Amino acid sequence: MEAVLRVAFVYILLLAAFRVMGKRELGQLSPFELVVLILIPEIFSDALVGGDHSMTAATIGGSTLLALVFLTSVLSHRFRGFQRLVEGQPTVLVHDGRFCEREMNRTRVQPDEVFAHLRAAGLERLSQVRWAILEEDGKISVVPRDPDEGVDQSRDEDIHA
Amino acid sequence: MGHSRHADPPQPPQPPQIERRIELPAPQVVGVAILFLIPLAALLGVFDRSSRDEHAEVAGLEVHLTYPERMRYHQSGSIEVTIRNTSAYRSDSMRVTFDPAYLERFASVTFAPSADEAYSVALPGLDPGRERRVRVDLEADRGGRQRGWVQVEAGPTGHAELPLRTFVFP
């Protein structure tokens, strides 16, 4: 019984912690942040097994974790509100060639990071972007403007507050 | 360089919604049921350590045995034999013997009081109403069902044998 409760507690704790940390932490890990992330299982491993290193305890812990992951995915699929609670929502970083400054500050995304994704998408100027969106998984999606649309290069430094 | 200000951030086109419902193929339902069954059984205490009691009477002595019924690998447990003199007379000396084959399937076996012979503890006679206890501490070392016995001998004729049945989760 204790193993189930320990795993459930750590699962909920980590779920909440990652939601609080924000999407950026998931998608844009620096080498140091990666090391910190690797330390988490090291810290929790002893607390999870509670000194019980039997195969039974490992089976109970593993199946509890997988059952919680499955339950979370089922609830996320069934209830949109739960999905938003657990996964968050996409955040618009650029709209019609303008930075959304408030959203960028909230998600701690630098203009340089957005431009790196623009270049990866084959774009060089902000004015070429219809949408740049920080997705729920922390990745930045870039939707270019229609090439037939007139590109107003004066927008390259525009900012949505 | 025109900085425009908006109260609400612009929203990209939203995907059309579908009727959200859970549809699992039959084999996945079975798999998921098994997946949930394990933690559920654990919550109900199926995999927890538990003990079992046995009683016997021999030559005016009441014998009470407590032993681990379920244990996990490397988990510690103990067997306790409590002998109480329920007669009006002082009992003969006693001997409590544990099944060697059973105890050899466990590790770190220690006796209190100490065994004077292999897996056997001698006890002096008991005054009426008094009791003595023999305790064996052990650690589960082999998974599966372990069966054995405890014998209590009191004087030349008194003899009782109580079963030991322990399941060790691997």
Side-chain angles (χ1 to χ4, degrees), chain B residues 42-77:
Chain B
L43 279 172
L44 294 172
V46 172
F47 304 112
D48 285 354
R49 178 170 36 196
S50 71
S51 60
R52 189 182 171 94
D53 294 329
E54 298 283 350
H55 298 271
E57 293 219 5
V58 51
L61 298 172
E62 190 180 274
V63 181
H64 180 90
L65 168 69
T66 305
Y67 66 94
E69 188 181 31
R70 290 195 305 261
M71 300 173 79
R72 289 190 200 168
Y73 181 66
H74 276 186
Q75 205 169 40
S76 298

mmCIF file of all heavy atoms in Angstrom, chain B residues 42-77:
data_model
loop_
_atom_site.group_PDB
_atom_site.id
_atom_site.type_symbol
_atom_site.label_atom_id
_atom_site.label_comp_id
_atom_site.label_asym_id
_atom_site.label_seq_id
_atom_site.Cartn_x
_atom_site.Cartn_y
_atom_site.Cartn_z
ATOM 1 N N ALA B 42 -2.377 -3.805 -4.228
ATOM 2 C CA ALA B 42 -1.393 -3.307 -3.252
ATOM 3 C C ALA B 42 -2.072 -2.403 -2.226
ATOM 4 O O ALA B 42 -1.766 -2.455 -1.032
ATOM 5 C CB ALA B 42 -0.274 -2.569 -3.970
ATOM 6 N N LEU B 43 -3.001 -1.557 -2.709
ATOM 7 C CA LEU B 43 -3.725 -0.671 -1.780
ATOM 8 C C LEU B 43 -4.563 -1.470 -0.788
ATOM 9 O O LEU B 43 -4.762 -1.057 0.349
ATOM 10 C CB LEU B 43 -4.641 0.280 -2.561
ATOM 11 C CG LEU B 43 -3.977 1.511 -3.173
ATOM 12 C CD1 LEU B 43 -4.954 2.255 -4.064
ATOM 13 C CD2 LEU B 43 -3.458 2.445 -2.082
ATOM 14 N N LEU B 44 -5.072 -2.614 -1.249
ATOM 15 C CA LEU B 44 -5.883 -3.457 -0.365
ATOM 16 C C LEU B 44 -5.022 -4.331 0.545
ATOM 17 O O LEU B 44 -5.532 -5.135 1.314
ATOM 18 C CB LEU B 44 -6.826 -4.335 -1.200
ATOM 19 C CG LEU B 44 -7.903 -3.567 -1.977
ATOM 20 C CD1 LEU B 44 -8.662 -4.492 -2.924
ATOM 21 C CD2 LEU B 44 -8.877 -2.885 -1.017
ATOM 22 N N GLY B 45 -3.700 -4.218 0.394
ATOM 23 C CA GLY B 45 -2.799 -4.919 1.310
ATOM 24 C C GLY B 45 -2.439 -6.330 0.904
ATOM 25 O O GLY B 45 -1.891 -7.079 1.708
ATOM 26 N N VAL B 46 -2.748 -6.703 -0.354
ATOM 27 C CA VAL B 46 -2.481 -8.082 -0.796
ATOM 28 C C VAL B 46 -0.984 -8.406 -0.747
ATOM 29 O O VAL B 46 -0.600 -9.534 -0.443
ATOM 30 C CB VAL B 46 -3.037 -8.292 -2.228
ATOM 31 C CG1 VAL B 46 -2.611 -9.640 -2.795
ATOM 32 C CG2 VAL B 46 -4.556 -8.179 -2.217
ATOM 33 N N PHE B 47 -0.136 -7.408 -1.051
ATOM 34 C CA PHE B 47 1.309 -7.665 -1.092
ATOM 35 C C PHE B 47 2.010 -7.260 0.216
ATOM 36 O O PHE B 47 3.233 -7.292 0.285
ATOM 37 C CB PHE B 47 1.951 -6.889 -2.255
ATOM 38 C CG PHE B 47 1.334 -7.199 -3.581
ATOM 39 C CD1 PHE B 47 0.591 -6.255 -4.263
ATOM 40 C CD2 PHE B 47 1.494 -8.449 -4.160
ATOM 41 C CE1 PHE B 47 0.018 -6.538 -5.491
ATOM 42 C CE2 PHE B 47 0.917 -8.744 -5.387
ATOM 43 C CZ PHE B 47 0.178 -7.791 -6.046
ATOM 44 N N ASP B 48 1.238 -6.854 1.208
ATOM 45 C CA ASP B 48 1.853 -6.414 2.470
ATOM 46 C C ASP B 48 2.221 -7.601 3.353
ATOM 47 O O ASP B 48 1.675 -8.695 3.199
ATOM 48 C CB ASP B 48 0.880 -5.510 3.245
ATOM 49 C CG ASP B 48 0.800 -4.128 2.608
ATOM 50 O OD1 ASP B 48 1.576 -3.868 1.674
ATOM 51 O OD2 ASP B 48 -0.050 -3.339 3.047
ATOM 52 N N ARG B 49 3.107 -7.320 4.283
ATOM 53 C CA ARG B 49 3.495 -8.351 5.246
ATOM 54 C C ARG B 49 2.291 -8.652 6.138
ATOM 55 O O ARG B 49 1.578 -7.757 6.566
ATOM 56 C CB ARG B 49 4.659 -7.817 6.091
ATOM 57 C CG ARG B 49 5.109 -8.782 7.152
ATOM 58 C CD ARG B 49 6.387 -8.356 7.804
ATOM 59 N NE ARG B 49 6.524 -6.921 7.976
ATOM 60 C CZ ARG B 49 7.675 -6.315 8.250
ATOM 61 N NH1 ARG B 49 8.773 -7.014 8.357
ATOM 62 N NH2 ARG B 49 7.734 -5.018 8.402
ATOM 63 N N SER B 50 2.071 -9.919 6.368
ATOM 64 C CA SER B 50 0.983 -10.278 7.290
ATOM 65 C C SER B 50 1.427 -11.472 8.122
ATOM 66 O O SER B 50 2.338 -12.207 7.744
ATOM 67 C CB SER B 50 -0.289 -10.625 6.504
ATOM 68 O OG SER B 50 -0.117 -11.850 5.838
ATOM 69 N N SER B 51 0.787 -11.636 9.254
ATOM 70 C CA SER B 51 1.152 -12.758 10.130
ATOM 71 C C SER B 51 -0.077 -13.612 10.404
ATOM 72 O O SER B 51 -1.217 -13.193 10.172
ATOM 73 C CB SER B 51 1.752 -12.242 11.432
ATOM 74 O OG SER B 51 0.815 -11.438 12.101
ATOM 75 N N ARG B 52 0.173 -14.799 10.882
ATOM 76 C CA ARG B 52 -0.898 -15.751 11.129
ATOM 77 C C ARG B 52 -0.686 -16.359 12.518
ATOM 78 O O ARG B 52 0.457 -16.514 12.955
ATOM 79 C CB ARG B 52 -0.860 -16.840 10.054
ATOM 80 C CG ARG B 52 -2.034 -17.780 10.057
ATOM 81 C CD ARG B 52 -1.842 -18.841 8.986
ATOM 82 N NE ARG B 52 -2.849 -19.864 9.109
ATOM 83 C CZ ARG B 52 -3.981 -19.871 8.439
ATOM 84 N NH1 ARG B 52 -4.251 -18.919 7.567
ATOM 85 N NH2 ARG B 52 -4.859 -20.846 8.597
ATOM 86 N N ASP B 53 -1.773 -16.690 13.178
ATOM 87 C CA ASP B 53 -1.707 -17.270 14.521
ATOM 88 C C ASP B 53 -2.175 -18.725 14.492
ATOM 89 O O ASP B 53 -3.086 -19.070 13.740
ATOM 90 C CB ASP B 53 -2.598 -16.489 15.495
ATOM 91 C CG ASP B 53 -2.095 -15.078 15.701
ATOM 92 O OD1 ASP B 53 -0.872 -14.871 15.614
ATOM 93 O OD2 ASP B 53 -2.929 -14.184 15.922
ATOM 94 N N GLU B 54 -1.554 -19.527 15.310
ATOM 95 C CA GLU B 54 -1.990 -20.917 15.500
ATOM 96 C C GLU B 54 -2.006 -21.197 17.006
ATOM 97 O O GLU B 54 -1.211 -20.619 17.758
ATOM 98 C CB GLU B 54 -1.013 -21.897 14.824
ATOM 99 C CG GLU B 54 -0.880 -21.750 13.323
ATOM 100 C CD GLU B 54 -2.051 -22.345 12.548
ATOM 101 O OE1 GLU B 54 -2.881 -23.048 13.171
ATOM 102 O OE2 GLU B 54 -2.134 -22.103 11.338
ATOM 103 N N HIS B 55 -2.904 -22.057 17.423
ATOM 104 C CA HIS B 55 -3.006 -22.404 18.840
ATOM 105 C C HIS B 55 -2.974 -23.920 19.000
ATOM 106 O O HIS B 55 -3.416 -24.644 18.116
ATOM 107 C CB HIS B 55 -4.318 -21.885 19.439
ATOM 108 C CG HIS B 55 -4.432 -20.409 19.400
ATOM 109 N ND1 HIS B 55 -3.973 -19.605 20.409
ATOM 110 C CD2 HIS B 55 -4.941 -19.577 18.455
ATOM 111 C CE1 HIS B 55 -4.204 -18.332 20.088
ATOM 112 N NE2 HIS B 55 -4.790 -18.297 18.905
ATOM 113 N N ALA B 56 -2.478 -24.333 20.155
ATOM 114 C CA ALA B 56 -2.519 -25.768 20.486
ATOM 115 C C ALA B 56 -2.457 -25.902 22.009
ATOM 116 O O ALA B 56 -2.039 -24.960 22.698
ATOM 117 C CB ALA B 56 -1.349 -26.497 19.831
ATOM 118 N N GLU B 57 -2.880 -27.040 22.503
ATOM 119 C CA GLU B 57 -2.778 -27.315 23.938
ATOM 120 C C GLU B 57 -2.028 -28.617 24.103
ATOM 121 O O GLU B 57 -2.260 -29.583 23.375
ATOM 122 C CB GLU B 57 -4.165 -27.435 24.551
ATOM 123 C CG GLU B 57 -4.904 -26.127 24.521
ATOM 124 C CD GLU B 57 -5.707 -25.885 25.786
ATOM 125 O OE1 GLU B 57 -5.604 -26.697 26.727
ATOM 126 O OE2 GLU B 57 -6.427 -24.875 25.810
ATOM 127 N N VAL B 58 -1.108 -28.612 25.051
ATOM 128 C CA VAL B 58 -0.330 -29.819 25.279
ATOM 129 C C VAL B 58 0.017 -29.922 26.765
ATOM 130 O O VAL B 58 0.614 -29.004 27.323
ATOM 131 C CB VAL B 58 0.940 -29.855 24.380
ATOM 132 C CG1 VAL B 58 1.745 -28.574 24.475
ATOM 133 C CG2 VAL B 58 1.820 -31.048 24.708
ATOM 134 N N ALA B 59 -0.419 -30.978 27.374
ATOM 135 C CA ALA B 59 -0.103 -31.298 28.775
ATOM 136 C C ALA B 59 -0.306 -30.103 29.705
ATOM 137 O O ALA B 59 0.579 -29.718 30.449
ATOM 138 C CB ALA B 59 1.340 -31.804 28.862
ATOM 139 N N GLY B 60 -1.488 -29.489 29.616
ATOM 140 C CA GLY B 60 -1.799 -28.352 30.481
ATOM 141 C C GLY B 60 -1.115 -27.070 30.078
ATOM 142 O O GLY B 60 -1.129 -26.085 30.818
ATOM 143 N N LEU B 61 -0.528 -27.047 28.919
ATOM 144 C CA LEU B 61 0.135 -25.832 28.419
ATOM 145 C C LEU B 61 -0.618 -25.308 27.194
ATOM 146 O O LEU B 61 -1.056 -26.090 26.350
ATOM 147 C CB LEU B 61 1.582 -26.130 28.009
ATOM 148 C CG LEU B 61 2.525 -26.617 29.102
ATOM 149 C CD1 LEU B 61 3.849 -27.059 28.488
ATOM 150 C CD2 LEU B 61 2.774 -25.519 30.136
ATOM 151 N N GLU B 62 -0.757 -24.001 27.151
ATOM 152 C CA GLU B 62 -1.382 -23.382 25.988
ATOM 153 C C GLU B 62 -0.254 -22.842 25.104
ATOM 154 O O GLU B 62 0.571 -22.057 25.576
ATOM 155 C CB GLU B 62 -2.291 -22.251 26.445
ATOM 156 C CG GLU B 62 -3.177 -21.704 25.357
ATOM 157 C CD GLU B 62 -4.040 -20.582 25.912
ATOM 158 O OE1 GLU B 62 -5.116 -20.885 26.464
ATOM 159 O OE2 GLU B 62 -3.609 -19.421 25.815
ATOM 160 N N VAL B 63 -0.250 -23.286 23.865
ATOM 161 C CA VAL B 63 0.825 -22.864 22.939
ATOM 162 C C VAL B 63 0.223 -21.916 21.901
ATOM 163 O O VAL B 63 -0.785 -22.237 21.257
ATOM 164 C CB VAL B 63 1.461 -24.084 22.230
ATOM 165 C CG1 VAL B 63 2.581 -23.627 21.294
ATOM 166 C CG2 VAL B 63 1.981 -25.080 23.251
ATOM 167 N N HIS B 64 0.845 -20.772 21.786
ATOM 168 C CA HIS B 64 0.372 -19.772 20.808
ATOM 169 C C HIS B 64 1.524 -19.476 19.855
ATOM 170 O O HIS B 64 2.611 -19.097 20.277
ATOM 171 C CB HIS B 64 -0.052 -18.502 21.561
ATOM 172 C CG HIS B 64 -0.545 -17.426 20.657
ATOM 173 N ND1 HIS B 64 -1.863 -17.304 20.300
ATOM 174 C CD2 HIS B 64 0.101 -16.423 20.036
ATOM 175 C CE1 HIS B 64 -1.991 -16.270 19.490
ATOM 176 N NE2 HIS B 64 -0.817 -15.711 19.310
ATOM 177 N N LEU B 65 1.279 -19.676 18.580
ATOM 178 C CA LEU B 65 2.323 -19.455 17.562
ATOM 179 C C LEU B 65 1.913 -18.302 16.651
ATOM 180 O O LEU B 65 0.791 -18.257 16.139
ATOM 181 C CB LEU B 65 2.501 -20.736 16.724
ATOM 182 C CG LEU B 65 3.326 -20.611 15.444
ATOM 183 C CD1 LEU B 65 4.804 -20.357 15.755
ATOM 184 C CD2 LEU B 65 3.189 -21.881 14.588
ATOM 185 N N THR B 66 2.812 -17.359 16.464
ATOM 186 C CA THR B 66 2.611 -16.279 15.487
ATOM 187 C C THR B 66 3.769 -16.348 14.495
ATOM 188 O O THR B 66 4.931 -16.375 14.912
ATOM 189 C CB THR B 66 2.606 -14.905 16.181
ATOM 190 O OG1 THR B 66 1.614 -14.919 17.206
ATOM 191 C CG2 THR B 66 2.282 -13.786 15.198
ATOM 192 N N TYR B 67 3.441 -16.382 13.210
ATOM 193 C CA TYR B 67 4.506 -16.460 12.211
ATOM 194 C C TYR B 67 4.117 -15.655 10.977
ATOM 195 O O TYR B 67 2.935 -15.378 10.752
ATOM 196 C CB TYR B 67 4.785 -17.925 11.834
ATOM 197 C CG TYR B 67 3.666 -18.618 11.126
ATOM 198 C CD1 TYR B 67 3.608 -18.666 9.732
ATOM 199 C CD2 TYR B 67 2.640 -19.243 11.832
ATOM 200 C CE1 TYR B 67 2.573 -19.302 9.074
ATOM 201 C CE2 TYR B 67 1.611 -19.882 11.183
ATOM 202 C CZ TYR B 67 1.576 -19.916 9.806
ATOM 203 O OH TYR B 67 0.546 -20.544 9.163
ATOM 204 N N PRO B 68 5.086 -15.244 10.174
ATOM 205 C CA PRO B 68 4.759 -14.445 8.978
ATOM 206 C C PRO B 68 4.071 -15.297 7.921
ATOM 207 O O PRO B 68 4.586 -16.338 7.529
ATOM 208 C CB PRO B 68 6.117 -13.924 8.499
ATOM 209 C CG PRO B 68 7.135 -14.805 9.125
ATOM 210 C CD PRO B 68 6.545 -15.399 10.352
ATOM 211 N N GLU B 69 2.907 -14.835 7.483
ATOM 212 C CA GLU B 69 2.166 -15.565 6.455
ATOM 213 C C GLU B 69 2.579 -15.086 5.067
ATOM 214 O O GLU B 69 2.668 -15.867 4.123
ATOM 215 C CB GLU B 69 0.666 -15.334 6.649
ATOM 216 C CG GLU B 69 -0.196 -16.189 5.754
ATOM 217 C CD GLU B 69 -1.671 -15.918 5.958
ATOM 218 O OE1 GLU B 69 -2.017 -14.766 6.301
ATOM 219 O OE2 GLU B 69 -2.458 -16.847 5.782
ATOM 220 N N ARG B 70 2.810 -13.768 4.966
ATOM 221 C CA ARG B 70 3.291 -13.191 3.691
ATOM 222 C C ARG B 70 4.435 -12.237 3.994
ATOM 223 O O ARG B 70 4.368 -11.444 4.929
ATOM 224 C CB ARG B 70 2.174 -12.409 2.993
ATOM 225 C CG ARG B 70 1.076 -13.265 2.433
ATOM 226 C CD ARG B 70 0.218 -12.455 1.462
ATOM 227 N NE ARG B 70 -0.301 -11.247 2.066
ATOM 228 C CZ ARG B 70 -1.526 -11.128 2.562
ATOM 229 N NH1 ARG B 70 -2.351 -12.146 2.530
ATOM 230 N NH2 ARG B 70 -1.934 -9.995 3.087
ATOM 231 N N MET B 71 5.479 -12.337 3.192
ATOM 232 C CA MET B 71 6.634 -11.444 3.323
ATOM 233 C C MET B 71 7.127 -11.106 1.933
ATOM 234 O O MET B 71 6.801 -11.791 0.973
ATOM 235 C CB MET B 71 7.795 -12.141 4.062
ATOM 236 C CG MET B 71 7.490 -12.598 5.443
ATOM 237 S SD MET B 71 8.868 -13.568 6.101
ATOM 238 C CE MET B 71 10.015 -12.291 6.590
ATOM 239 N N ARG B 72 7.938 -10.073 1.861
ATOM 240 C CA ARG B 72 8.608 -9.766 0.595
ATOM 241 C C ARG B 72 10.087 -10.129 0.719
ATOM 242 O O ARG B 72 10.623 -10.186 1.829
ATOM 243 C CB ARG B 72 8.487 -8.285 0.256
ATOM 244 C CG ARG B 72 7.088 -7.909 -0.140
ATOM 245 C CD ARG B 72 7.063 -6.525 -0.689
ATOM 246 N NE ARG B 72 5.721 -5.972 -0.642
ATOM 247 C CZ ARG B 72 5.444 -4.702 -0.851
ATOM 248 N NH1 ARG B 72 6.411 -3.850 -1.106
ATOM 249 N NH2 ARG B 72 4.209 -4.283 -0.802
ATOM 250 N N TYR B 73 10.686 -10.331 -0.410
ATOM 251 C CA TYR B 73 12.109 -10.680 -0.480
ATOM 252 C C TYR B 73 12.930 -9.664 0.323
ATOM 253 O O TYR B 73 12.757 -8.449 0.174
ATOM 254 C CB TYR B 73 12.537 -10.702 -1.944
ATOM 255 C CG TYR B 73 13.969 -11.059 -2.185
ATOM 256 C CD1 TYR B 73 14.443 -12.323 -1.896
ATOM 257 C CD2 TYR B 73 14.848 -10.125 -2.713
ATOM 258 C CE1 TYR B 73 15.760 -12.657 -2.133
ATOM 259 C CE2 TYR B 73 16.174 -10.447 -2.954
ATOM 260 C CZ TYR B 73 16.623 -11.711 -2.660
ATOM 261 O OH TYR B 73 17.934 -12.030 -2.883
ATOM 262 N N HIS B 74 13.802 -10.173 1.179
ATOM 263 C CA HIS B 74 14.702 -9.372 2.032
ATOM 264 C C HIS B 74 13.974 -8.639 3.150
ATOM 265 O O HIS B 74 14.570 -7.798 3.812
ATOM 266 C CB HIS B 74 15.529 -8.384 1.208
ATOM 267 C CG HIS B 74 16.770 -9.025 0.641
ATOM 268 N ND1 HIS B 74 17.728 -8.324 -0.018
ATOM 269 C CD2 HIS B 74 17.179 -10.294 0.630
ATOM 270 C CE1 HIS B 74 18.693 -9.143 -0.418
ATOM 271 N NE2 HIS B 74 18.362 -10.350 -0.032
ATOM 272 N N GLN B 75 12.700 -8.931 3.335
ATOM 273 C CA GLN B 75 11.962 -8.315 4.430
ATOM 274 C C GLN B 75 12.181 -9.140 5.705
ATOM 275 O O GLN B 75 12.318 -10.358 5.636
ATOM 276 C CB GLN B 75 10.474 -8.291 4.077
ATOM 277 C CG GLN B 75 9.692 -7.205 4.774
ATOM 278 C CD GLN B 75 8.297 -7.076 4.189
ATOM 279 O OE1 GLN B 75 7.650 -8.065 3.878
ATOM 280 N NE2 GLN B 75 7.847 -5.844 4.049
ATOM 281 N N SER B 76 12.235 -8.449 6.829
ATOM 282 C CA SER B 76 12.449 -9.143 8.103
ATOM 283 C C SER B 76 11.118 -9.527 8.731
ATOM 284 O O SER B 76 10.114 -8.844 8.543
ATOM 285 C CB SER B 76 13.216 -8.242 9.073
ATOM 286 O OG SER B 76 14.475 -7.955 8.528
ATOM 287 N N GLY B 77 11.158 -10.604 9.461
ATOM 288 C CA GLY B 77 9.967 -11.048 10.168
ATOM 289 C C GLY B 77 10.373 -11.862 11.370
ATOM 290 O O GLY B 77 11.571 -12.030 11.639
#
